[in-house]
Amino acid sequence: MVNLQIPKEEGELIKQGHELEVAQSIESIDDLFKPEIIGEFVKDSGQYLILPKGTRILNGLKLLLVEYVSDSVGFEEVVLPKIAPLNSFKKAGILGKWDDYLISAKPFFLTNGVKDEYIMDPLQCTAFYQFHENKRIDVMAGPIKWYDYSGPTYRNEDTDKIFPCVKQREFHRAEFMYLGTREQVVETREKCWQN
């Protein structure tokens, strides 16, 4: 059963499941390493392993998002690509603004597959907008509401600004995206805030 207590203070983690019913307060980022929640992958890499206890917390947060946002507001889960062609980021206005934070993905060897430069997605929603570009969308029955929780997002954060679980090179998050008329998207936004 889902714990219906809503967090009221910054740093409070809600734990789910019958074996995890009491909320734990985290006083500092260092506390995440003590109970084996996350571990540094390679020193100063900006990448962290999410260890078993951290994975249970992450899955608990996902359950909260599913119950309070996805199910109650009507979002459907999708799996979006985590790398995209350079042109997708040009169209999104990201190139030229975020260049320092982008990580390029180029083929290691040439095959009959990808030959062009791709970018590891720093936002997740880029693929959503690229997919719907130049399509006529029927929103008479309501807006398109999707969420993606399928994998990491990538940013080339400065080493001195990396803050585990907040700023990393590779991090997990949920992305909620919606598309509809002005009234539909405003209503969807308000429903998300209420839940």
Side-chain angles (χ1 to χ4, degrees):
M1 179 169 184
V2 174
N3 178 358
L4 296 177
Q5 182 180 358
I6 304 295
K8 303 224 181 338
E9 295 179 25
E10 185 176 337
E12 184 180 0
L13 296 177
I14 293 186
K15 296 184 176 184
Q16 299 292 311
H18 26 278
E19 76 280 0
L20 300 168
E21 294 206 356
V22 180
Q24 175 183 349
S25 178
I26 301 293
E27 299 297 326
S28 103
I29 290 298
D30 294 335
D31 291 346
L32 294 174
F33 292 95
K34 291 175 191 168
E36 299 180 2
I37 293 173
I38 63 172
E40 193 170 22
F41 175 53
V42 174
K43 185 153 181 58
D44 297 326
S45 68
Q47 291 179 288
Y48 297 86
L49 300 175
I50 302 171
L51 301 171
K53 190 183 283 187
T55 301
R56 288 193 301 273
I57 292 169
L58 194 62
N59 289 336
L61 291 171
K62 180 183 178 185
L63 289 174
L64 287 171
L65 288 172
V66 167
E67 180 176 348
Y68 289 106
V69 181
S70 175
D71 289 352
S72 64
V73 182
F75 282 85
E76 295 179 287
E77 186 172 11
V78 296
V79 175
L80 299 175
K82 303 304 178 246
I83 65 171
L86 201 59
N87 197 37
S88 294
F89 297 95
K90 283 181 185 171
K91 287 188 259 180
I94 293 170
L95 289 184
K97 286 184 185 177
W98 280 43
D99 292 0
D100 292 344
Y101 295 99
L102 300 177
I103 299 173
S104 174
K106 297 180 183 178
F108 193 64
F109 286 103
L110 291 182
T111 66
N112 288 330
V114 172
K115 291 178 175 57
D116 300 325
E117 181 177 13
Y118 273 58
I119 299 291
M120 299 173 81
D121 201 340
L123 301 171
Q124 276 177 286
C125 61
T126 310
F128 173 79
Y129 295 110
Q130 176 69 49
F131 177 76
H132 289 98
E133 181 183 49
N134 296 322
K135 291 184 180 174
R136 190 173 200 116
I137 309 297
D138 181 8
V139 293
M140 292 306 293
I144 294 172
K145 295 186 273 190
W146 289 357
Y147 82 96
D148 177 26
Y149 187 82
S150 64
T153 298
Y154 299 93
R155 291 193 188 148
N156 187 31
E157 295 288 351
D158 293 328
T159 307
D160 60 342
K161 293 181 182 173
I162 286 175
F163 196 63
C165 296
V166 178
K167 280 186 171 277
Q168 298 172 215
R169 292 241 163 75
E170 176 181 55
F171 57 97
H172 292 262
R173 66 182 181 145
E175 182 85 13
F176 290 83
M177 301 145 285
Y178 41 96
L179 179 66
T181 65
R182 179 180 174 82
E183 293 76 20
Q184 289 169 337
V185 297
V186 168
E187 181 183 354
T188 301
R189 180 196 66 197
E190 295 304 314
K191 283 182 179 176
C192 289
W193 279 111
Q194 292 168 4
N195 293 316

Short mmCIF file of all heavy atoms in Angstrom, two decimals, residues 14-35:
data_model
loop_
_atom_site.label_atom_id
_atom_site.label_comp_id
_atom_site.label_asym_id
_atom_site.label_seq_id
_atom_site.Cartn_x
_atom_site.Cartn_y
_atom_site.Cartn_z
N ILE A 14 10.34 9.75 1.07
CA ILE A 14 9.23 8.87 1.38
C ILE A 14 9.59 7.49 0.90
O ILE A 14 9.98 7.30 -0.24
CB ILE A 14 7.93 9.35 0.73
CG1 ILE A 14 7.52 10.67 1.37
CG2 ILE A 14 6.83 8.30 0.85
CD1 ILE A 14 6.22 11.18 0.94
N LYS A 15 9.47 6.51 1.76
CA LYS A 15 9.77 5.13 1.39
C LYS A 15 8.47 4.37 1.23
O LYS A 15 7.52 4.58 1.97
CB LYS A 15 10.64 4.49 2.46
CG LYS A 15 12.00 5.16 2.57
CD LYS A 15 12.84 4.44 3.55
CE LYS A 15 14.22 5.03 3.61
NZ LYS A 15 15.09 4.29 4.49
N GLN A 16 8.46 3.46 0.28
CA GLN A 16 7.26 2.70 -0.05
C GLN A 16 7.39 1.25 0.37
O GLN A 16 8.49 0.76 0.60
CB GLN A 16 7.01 2.75 -1.55
CG GLN A 16 6.78 4.14 -2.07
CD GLN A 16 5.49 4.71 -1.58
OE1 GLN A 16 4.47 4.06 -1.68
NE2 GLN A 16 5.52 5.90 -1.04
N GLY A 17 6.28 0.55 0.37
CA GLY A 17 6.27 -0.88 0.60
C GLY A 17 6.10 -1.23 2.06
O GLY A 17 6.28 -0.42 2.96
N HIS A 18 5.75 -2.49 2.30
CA HIS A 18 5.48 -2.91 3.68
C HIS A 18 6.74 -2.90 4.53
O HIS A 18 6.67 -2.66 5.71
CB HIS A 18 4.80 -4.28 3.74
CG HIS A 18 5.08 -5.16 2.58
ND1 HIS A 18 4.40 -5.05 1.39
CD2 HIS A 18 5.98 -6.14 2.41
CE1 HIS A 18 4.85 -5.96 0.55
NE2 HIS A 18 5.81 -6.61 1.13
N GLU A 19 7.92 -3.16 3.93
CA GLU A 19 9.13 -3.19 4.74
C GLU A 19 9.72 -1.80 4.94
O GLU A 19 10.63 -1.61 5.72
CB GLU A 19 10.17 -4.15 4.15
CG GLU A 19 10.90 -3.64 2.92
CD GLU A 19 10.11 -3.78 1.63
OE1 GLU A 19 8.97 -4.28 1.65
OE2 GLU A 19 10.62 -3.39 0.59
N LEU A 20 9.23 -0.79 4.22
CA LEU A 20 9.76 0.57 4.30
C LEU A 20 8.63 1.56 4.55
O LEU A 20 8.12 2.16 3.63
CB LEU A 20 10.46 0.92 2.99
CG LEU A 20 11.65 0.06 2.56
CD1 LEU A 20 12.03 0.37 1.13
CD2 LEU A 20 12.83 0.28 3.48
N GLU A 21 8.26 1.75 5.79
CA GLU A 21 7.11 2.61 6.05
C GLU A 21 7.47 3.93 6.71
O GLU A 21 6.69 4.84 6.73
CB GLU A 21 6.10 1.87 6.92
CG GLU A 21 5.52 0.70 6.15
CD GLU A 21 4.14 0.31 6.60
OE1 GLU A 21 3.65 0.89 7.57
OE2 GLU A 21 3.56 -0.57 5.96
N VAL A 22 8.67 4.04 7.27
CA VAL A 22 9.05 5.25 7.98
C VAL A 22 9.89 6.14 7.07
O VAL A 22 10.81 5.67 6.43
CB VAL A 22 9.85 4.89 9.25
CG1 VAL A 22 10.24 6.14 10.01
CG2 VAL A 22 9.05 3.95 10.13
N ALA A 23 9.57 7.42 7.04
CA ALA A 23 10.34 8.36 6.22
C ALA A 23 11.70 8.59 6.87
O ALA A 23 11.85 8.54 8.08
CB ALA A 23 9.58 9.68 6.10
N GLN A 24 12.71 8.82 6.04
CA GLN A 24 14.06 9.08 6.52
C GLN A 24 14.44 10.49 6.13
O GLN A 24 14.21 10.90 5.00
CB GLN A 24 15.03 8.08 5.88
CG GLN A 24 16.48 8.34 6.22
CD GLN A 24 17.40 7.37 5.50
OE1 GLN A 24 16.95 6.40 4.92
NE2 GLN A 24 18.68 7.64 5.53
N SER A 25 15.02 11.23 7.05
CA SER A 25 15.45 12.58 6.75
C SER A 25 16.93 12.56 6.40
O SER A 25 17.73 11.91 7.06
CB SER A 25 15.22 13.48 7.96
OG SER A 25 15.67 14.78 7.70
N ILE A 26 17.30 13.24 5.32
CA ILE A 26 18.69 13.33 4.88
C ILE A 26 19.17 14.74 5.21
O ILE A 26 18.62 15.71 4.70
CB ILE A 26 18.81 13.06 3.36
CG1 ILE A 26 18.27 11.68 3.00
CG2 ILE A 26 20.24 13.24 2.89
CD1 ILE A 26 19.05 10.52 3.54
N GLU A 27 20.17 14.84 6.07
CA GLU A 27 20.68 16.15 6.49
C GLU A 27 21.70 16.71 5.50
O GLU A 27 21.78 17.91 5.30
CB GLU A 27 21.32 16.05 7.88
CG GLU A 27 20.34 15.61 8.96
CD GLU A 27 19.20 16.59 9.17
OE1 GLU A 27 19.41 17.81 9.01
OE2 GLU A 27 18.08 16.12 9.47
N SER A 28 22.51 15.84 4.88
CA SER A 28 23.51 16.30 3.92
C SER A 28 23.69 15.24 2.85
O SER A 28 23.33 14.08 3.05
CB SER A 28 24.83 16.61 4.64
OG SER A 28 25.78 15.60 4.44
N ILE A 29 24.26 15.64 1.73
CA ILE A 29 24.51 14.69 0.65
C ILE A 29 25.42 13.56 1.12
O ILE A 29 25.30 12.43 0.69
CB ILE A 29 25.11 15.42 -0.58
CG1 ILE A 29 24.05 16.32 -1.21
CG2 ILE A 29 25.65 14.46 -1.60
CD1 ILE A 29 22.83 15.61 -1.74
N ASP A 30 26.33 13.85 2.06
CA ASP A 30 27.21 12.80 2.60
C ASP A 30 26.41 11.66 3.21
O ASP A 30 26.85 10.51 3.20
CB ASP A 30 28.16 13.38 3.64
CG ASP A 30 29.15 14.37 3.03
OD1 ASP A 30 29.41 14.26 1.81
OD2 ASP A 30 29.65 15.23 3.76
N ASP A 31 25.21 11.96 3.73
CA ASP A 31 24.36 10.92 4.32
C ASP A 31 23.94 9.87 3.30
O ASP A 31 23.62 8.75 3.66
CB ASP A 31 23.10 11.52 4.95
CG ASP A 31 23.41 12.36 6.18
OD1 ASP A 31 24.54 12.26 6.71
OD2 ASP A 31 22.52 13.12 6.61
N LEU A 32 23.91 10.24 2.03
CA LEU A 32 23.52 9.27 1.00
C LEU A 32 24.55 8.17 0.83
O LEU A 32 24.22 7.06 0.45
CB LEU A 32 23.31 9.98 -0.35
CG LEU A 32 22.15 10.97 -0.40
CD1 LEU A 32 22.16 11.71 -1.74
CD2 LEU A 32 20.83 10.27 -0.21
N PHE A 33 25.81 8.47 1.11
CA PHE A 33 26.87 7.48 0.95
C PHE A 33 26.96 6.54 2.14
O PHE A 33 27.28 5.38 1.99
CB PHE A 33 28.22 8.17 0.71
CG PHE A 33 28.27 8.88 -0.61
CD1 PHE A 33 27.98 10.23 -0.70
CD2 PHE A 33 28.58 8.20 -1.78
CE1 PHE A 33 28.02 10.88 -1.93
CE2 PHE A 33 28.62 8.84 -3.00
CZ PHE A 33 28.34 10.19 -3.08
N LYS A 34 26.64 7.02 3.35
CA LYS A 34 26.74 6.19 4.55
C LYS A 34 25.83 4.97 4.51
O LYS A 34 26.25 3.86 4.75
CB LYS A 34 26.47 7.03 5.80
CG LYS A 34 27.56 8.03 6.09
CD LYS A 34 27.18 8.91 7.26
CE LYS A 34 28.15 10.08 7.35
NZ LYS A 34 27.68 11.10 8.27
N PRO A 35 24.53 5.15 4.21
CA PRO A 35 23.64 3.98 4.20
C PRO A 35 23.65 3.21 2.88
O PRO A 35 22.76 2.45 2.58
CB PRO A 35 22.26 4.58 4.47
CG PRO A 35 22.35 5.97 3.94
CD PRO A 35 23.78 6.40 4.09
#
